[in-house]
Amino acid sequence: MRELKILVVVLFFTAVVYWGVEPFAHSQMHPHVAPADFTFKDLGHAVGKGDFIKGEELVQANCVACHSVKSVGIQSAMSESDASLAYGVVPPDLSNAGLLYDPAFLNAFLKNPAKAMLVEHKFDQTRTFPMPSYDWMSEDELASILAFFHSIVKPVSDKALYEEACGRCHDMKYDKTMSHSDKAALTAYMGTLPPDLSIMIRAKSDEYLSTFINNPQKQLAGTSMPRVGLTEKAQNQVISYMEKVGDRKKAEREDLGYKLIAYMVLFTLLAFAWKVKIWREVH
């Protein structure tokens, strides 16, 4: 009976620490932030249906000086190395823009890139955002550009999607995926060299990354990292790839954890049965 009382006391204080102290400590180290918003409410709604043929003409006329659309054979007039040195980062290929980016975000981005990406604090009259605003375009023209992007979308792997969404700034050394941007130019543009993401999934967790990628300012106010504007599906693909690279043993580790718990429970019962048997013989 004495041992049972001791066990009850131990379980009580363990529960107090686990359900009382630990959540409080976690809340101080990781303050709660609003969940990811994949509707991008602050940007308004996407424009209506446009003409994808007209959209292609507009892209040819306004975008190919910096951007390629390789899936339809459109090549940028500027090489990646020259663009990286000029802008600080390699401009993205737009082949999968319709797959990666939310329509409301993309529409707002074309009108005012710095505002849509939440990096206005980095730019002022002395330092302008590398991409110009296309707020002079009509709603019909913006809708046509989005229609063109959606008309050329094809399914892509998690890795390919990651490379387009994140790989222009970040390395993934564990998978030998390196940024094409010039490191010195990128550092000058961002203020610091963006980190390698090989084990970021282990360092920050998928829950943290889900909120951070959707809106970096929620987790790290004042950060130079822009809001990328990914759809929920695209973001899940990015995180899935990061998990495959940085946490390859997750399934094996979780499976072993269940086996270990079962092992401990079994041998706890056996130890208790052995104790009862010994003390029964003593008495």
Side-chain angles (χ1 to χ4, degrees):
M1 181 58 70
R2 182 169 176 270
E3 290 83 358
L4 182 59
K5 291 180 180 178
I6 294 174
L7 176 61
V8 170
V9 171
V10 170
L11 289 176
F12 172 77
F13 283 104
T14 300
V16 169
V17 171
Y18 187 78
W19 281 292
V21 178
E22 194 278 337
F24 174 75
H26 186 275
S27 69
Q28 298 304 303
M29 296 178 65
H30 304 284
H32 174 73
V33 298
D37 172 24
F38 292 104
T39 63
F40 299 95
K41 296 176 183 176
D42 61 307
L43 299 177
H45 300 289
V47 292
K49 186 176 181 181
D51 180 357
F52 72 91
I53 297 177
K54 180 180 178 181
E56 182 175 7
E57 294 173 352
L58 288 166
V59 168
Q60 289 272 20
N62 296 282
C63 306
V64 297
C66 303
H67 299 276
S68 297
V69 192
K70 295 177 182 177
S71 63
V72 293
I74 299 176
Q75 185 63 44
S76 169
M78 185 180 291
S79 68
E80 283 191 347
S81 58
D82 289 342
S84 177
L85 292 173
Y87 303 125
V89 63
V90 175
D93 179 89
L94 301 178
S95 298
N96 292 301
L99 175 68
L100 279 129
Y101 309 114
D102 177 83
F105 173 85
L106 197 55
N107 178 49
F109 177 81
L110 290 170
K111 293 179 180 177
N112 189 332
K115 181 179 180 180
M117 300 178 84
L118 300 178
V119 290
E120 287 182 296
H121 58 282
K122 286 182 54 182
F123 302 96
D124 52 32
Q125 294 180 347
T126 62
R127 188 187 184 201
T128 58
F129 191 80
M131 178 175 165
S133 299
Y134 288 93
D135 51 359
W136 51 267
M137 284 189 175
S138 67
E139 292 295 303
D140 178 67
E141 289 174 320
L142 292 171
S144 294
I145 290 177
L146 268 63
F148 168 66
F149 288 148
H150 282 284
S151 72
I152 61 174
V153 163
K154 296 179 180 178
V156 295
S157 67
D158 294 351
K159 180 176 181 178
L161 194 148
Y162 160 84
E163 290 176 340
E164 292 193 34
C166 313
R168 294 179 299 112
C169 297
H170 296 278
D171 294 338
M172 185 72 82
K173 295 178 182 178
Y174 281 18
D175 201 34
K176 299 180 181 179
T177 303
M178 311 300 286
S179 166
H180 293 167
S181 298
D182 180 84
K183 292 294 189 288
L186 182 60
T187 301
Y189 172 62
M190 297 296 292
T192 185
L193 184 65
D196 181 274
L197 299 181
S198 296
I199 58 171
M200 193 60 68
I201 191 73
R202 297 291 302 276
K204 295 295 186 180
S205 82
D206 56 351
E207 181 181 358
Y208 177 95
L209 290 175
S210 177
T211 306
F212 185 78
I213 295 172
N214 179 257
N215 185 348
Q217 301 299 328
K218 285 183 179 180
Q219 297 283 9
L220 192 60
T223 181
S224 296
M225 177 171 163
R227 173 167 61 177
V228 185
L230 300 181
T231 65
E232 184 173 9
K233 181 179 179 181
Q235 181 170 298
N236 288 339
Q237 283 189 256
V238 168
I239 294 176
S240 176
Y241 170 70
M242 294 174 69
E243 189 172 86
K244 290 174 185 175
V245 175
D247 199 4
R248 300 174 190 267
K249 300 291 186 178
K250 180 181 179 180
E252 181 179 337
R253 184 178 68 252
E254 291 180 345
D255 182 60
L256 180 61
Y258 292 126
K259 292 178 180 177
L260 178 61
I261 292 174
Y263 172 87
M264 297 298 292
V265 170
L266 174 62
F267 276 85
T268 296
L269 294 175
L270 290 175
F272 181 76
W274 177 77
K275 171 189 174 297
V276 171
K277 179 178 181 299
I278 294 298
W279 282 101
R280 185 183 296 119
E281 293 176 356
V282 170
H283 293 295

